[in-house]
Amino acid sequence: MTQITQFPFVSVSGTPEARGRAYGQQAADRVRKSAAMYGQTLVDLGYDAMARTRLIESFAREIENFAPHYLEEMRGIAAGADVPFEDIVMVNARTEVIAKARAEKKKAAELEPGDGCTGALILPTRSANGRLIHGQNWDWRAECAETAIVLRVRNDNGPDILTFVEAGGLARSGLNSAGVSITANYLESDRDFRQLGVPLSLIRRKVLEQEHFALAIKAVSTTPKSCSNNIMIGMAAGFGVDYECTTDEAFPIYPGADDLIVHANHWVSEVALGKLRDTGRASTPESAYRDWRVRRLLNEKDKLTRADLKRALFDDFGTPYSVCRPPRPGSHDNLSATVAMVVMEPAAGLMEVAPLPALNRTFTRYSLDAEPELLAAA
């Protein structure tokens, strides 16, 4: 990796197509890098242009059936960044596209670096200022530190949105002006990729478009998916719930007696484990202790702050197989790392993000209402 830089801030408004075009123009370089990275993965899997188009079009149809305005926004991004529209669909459906490609080519998923993540949510009863705190370490390809952005969407037809996302994507981790927050973690089960569903990134965007938390729950728990995923959502008013999702079911995990939710990359719900097989243990064996470590560190204090959550997410126990993962060999020439630490306070409309936190402790504070602010190193 070269010098670590903070994630660019992109702010857009207007119609879906107009804000997409502005997004593409403002983040053109990172959008192109993001598209090139996943496009090369398909090339490495032996896909020619025709096969790639066929693969991506199948997901474009799913998106159109789910929310046609997402395709309008993607067309705008493509035009603004001067890349093919199918590249933007690919970025937004990259989990599903690459997994389906591997299945078609009968290539092992272990060739990818682990899309790990450790997420945590602190209810207001445990926070020092009485506000919900929600955060995550995103573990993926180290080079994504140079392809991610923070996006703010001024929305004419719903809450404003602030999201950390791979450039070209519509959402990943984030919050909205109605106080809804979301993070998501990799999960795997024996039900995965038996059907086509809505790409996970667009389910996250749907959550962030909701004014009412009940409708955010509906988006997470009832939308058909292609694969498993763990989705944690928070409500600034004082509630949070985690859903371990398969393609067609969602298993809720509520805050514990300690008023915390912590989740890594293995299935926890006893109901879920009675109905499916966790097939992800081989790719994320350290998940067995990552959630335990974060919960233990958080429970060292009675009242918690954003700084306390950061401290827990910086944990290097078991490094390089740790909560905060330094760049380490992944697949082929890839390095796997904690690409970003994201800590949010939805009631305040703010998000603090550090790129490659195992190597860098400088955060930028992004806001629904203000310009980005570089913070002192944590």
Side-chain angles (χ1 to χ4, degrees):
M1 299 295 297
T2 56
Q3 181 181 359
I4 297 171
T5 58
Q6 298 294 302
F7 295 110
F9 179 61
V10 174
S11 185
V12 298
S13 61
T15 65
E17 195 279 337
R19 63 186 182 231
R21 188 177 292 269
Y23 174 177
Q25 290 169 344
Q26 292 179 55
D29 182 59
R30 290 200 170 214
V31 170
R32 292 171 193 147
K33 286 180 180 177
S34 190
M37 181 175 64
Y38 294 119
Q40 186 59 48
T41 299
L42 292 180
V43 170
D44 292 343
L45 285 167
Y47 275 75
D48 60 22
M50 186 177 297
R52 167 182 153 139
T53 297
R54 173 185 54 78
L55 177 67
I56 293 170
E57 281 181 348
S58 65
F59 288 100
R61 288 191 292 272
E62 291 294 322
I63 296 168
E64 185 168 25
N65 292 335
F66 180 59
H69 66 285
Y70 293 162
L71 292 182
E72 294 176 37
E73 197 158 346
M74 290 181 208
R75 288 190 179 95
I77 295 169
D82 194 23
V83 299
F85 166 65
E86 70 176 32
D87 283 5
I88 303 303
V89 176
M90 175 182 62
V91 170
N92 279 277
R94 60 95 168 156
T95 299
E96 294 82 359
V97 166
I98 292 172
K100 189 178 181 190
R102 291 194 182 286
E104 288 182 358
K105 298 294 184 178
K106 296 182 170 57
K107 296 288 182 73
E110 285 79 4
L111 293 177
E112 276 296 307
D115 189 355
C117 308
T118 310
L121 185 146
I122 301 166
L123 289 184
T125 48
R126 283 295 305 278
S127 75
N129 66 3
R131 290 176 172 175
L132 183 141
I133 303 169
H134 189 170
Q136 177 188 52
N137 278 357
W138 177 43
D139 305 331
W140 184 227
R141 297 182 179 187
E143 60 261 48
C144 287
E146 298 172 1
T147 64
I149 64 166
V150 174
L151 172 68
R152 181 173 66 193
V153 178
R154 302 291 197 196
N155 200 340
D156 295 334
N157 298 303
D160 291 344
I161 294 168
L162 187 67
T163 180
F164 169 79
V165 64
E166 293 178 83
L170 297 192
R172 186 168 182 86
S173 304
L175 57 89
N176 72 16
S177 57
V180 175
S181 59
I182 185 169
T183 58
N185 305 19
Y186 177 80
L187 278 182
E188 191 177 306
S189 81
D190 56 357
R191 296 191 192 180
D192 293 351
F193 303 108
R194 296 179 180 178
Q195 66 179 40
L196 274 186
V198 177
L200 296 170
S201 68
L202 302 181
I203 296 173
R204 296 167 193 157
R205 176 61 176 261
K206 178 68 77 173
V207 166
L208 292 174
E209 290 179 337
Q210 304 310 312
E211 271 192 71
H212 302 289
F213 193 70
L215 299 182
I217 289 174
K218 179 182 177 181
V220 170
S221 60
T222 67
T223 304
K225 305 165 187 70
S226 297
C227 59
S228 302
N229 200 231
N230 184 75
I231 302 177
M232 189 182 296
I233 51 177
M235 179 182 184
F239 181 68
V241 61
D242 184 272
Y243 283 98
E244 294 184 332
C245 302
T246 66
T247 54
D248 56 356
E249 281 190 274
F251 304 93
I253 297 173
Y254 296 99
D258 55 6
D259 285 346
L260 303 175
I261 304 175
V262 184
H263 204 288
N265 301 111
H266 58 280
W267 294 83
V268 175
S269 166
E270 292 183 3
V271 176
L273 289 168
K275 302 177 77 172
L276 54 80
R277 185 166 59 89
D278 184 344
T279 57
R281 293 282 188 164
S283 59
T284 56
E286 79 287 354
S287 178
Y289 56 78
R290 278 193 276 116
D291 56 345
W292 174 78
R293 286 289 301 176
V294 170
R295 186 181 293 273
R296 180 176 178 143
L297 290 166
L298 290 174
N299 279 327
E300 289 179 354
K301 290 182 67 175
D302 180 37
K303 294 294 184 179
L304 298 164
T305 64
R306 294 194 302 274
D308 293 317
L309 179 53
K310 290 175 185 177
R311 180 177 66 90
L313 292 175
F314 275 126
D315 184 50
D316 64 357
F317 174 85
T319 190
Y321 295 89
S322 44
V323 171
C324 193
R325 181 188 300 179
R328 59 171 169 80
S331 66
H332 305 297
D333 296 324
N334 291 318
L335 290 176
S336 174
T338 297
V339 178
M341 185 186 297
V342 179
V343 174
M344 301 177 285
E345 195 172 296
L350 65 84
M351 168 192 294
E352 295 175 352
V353 188
L356 295 171
L359 306 178
N360 157 66
R361 293 199 168 209
T362 300
F363 287 78
T364 297
R365 179 177 295 156
Y366 304 88
S367 170
L368 285 170
D369 303 314
E371 291 305 299
E373 176 188 358
L374 192 66
L375 304 178

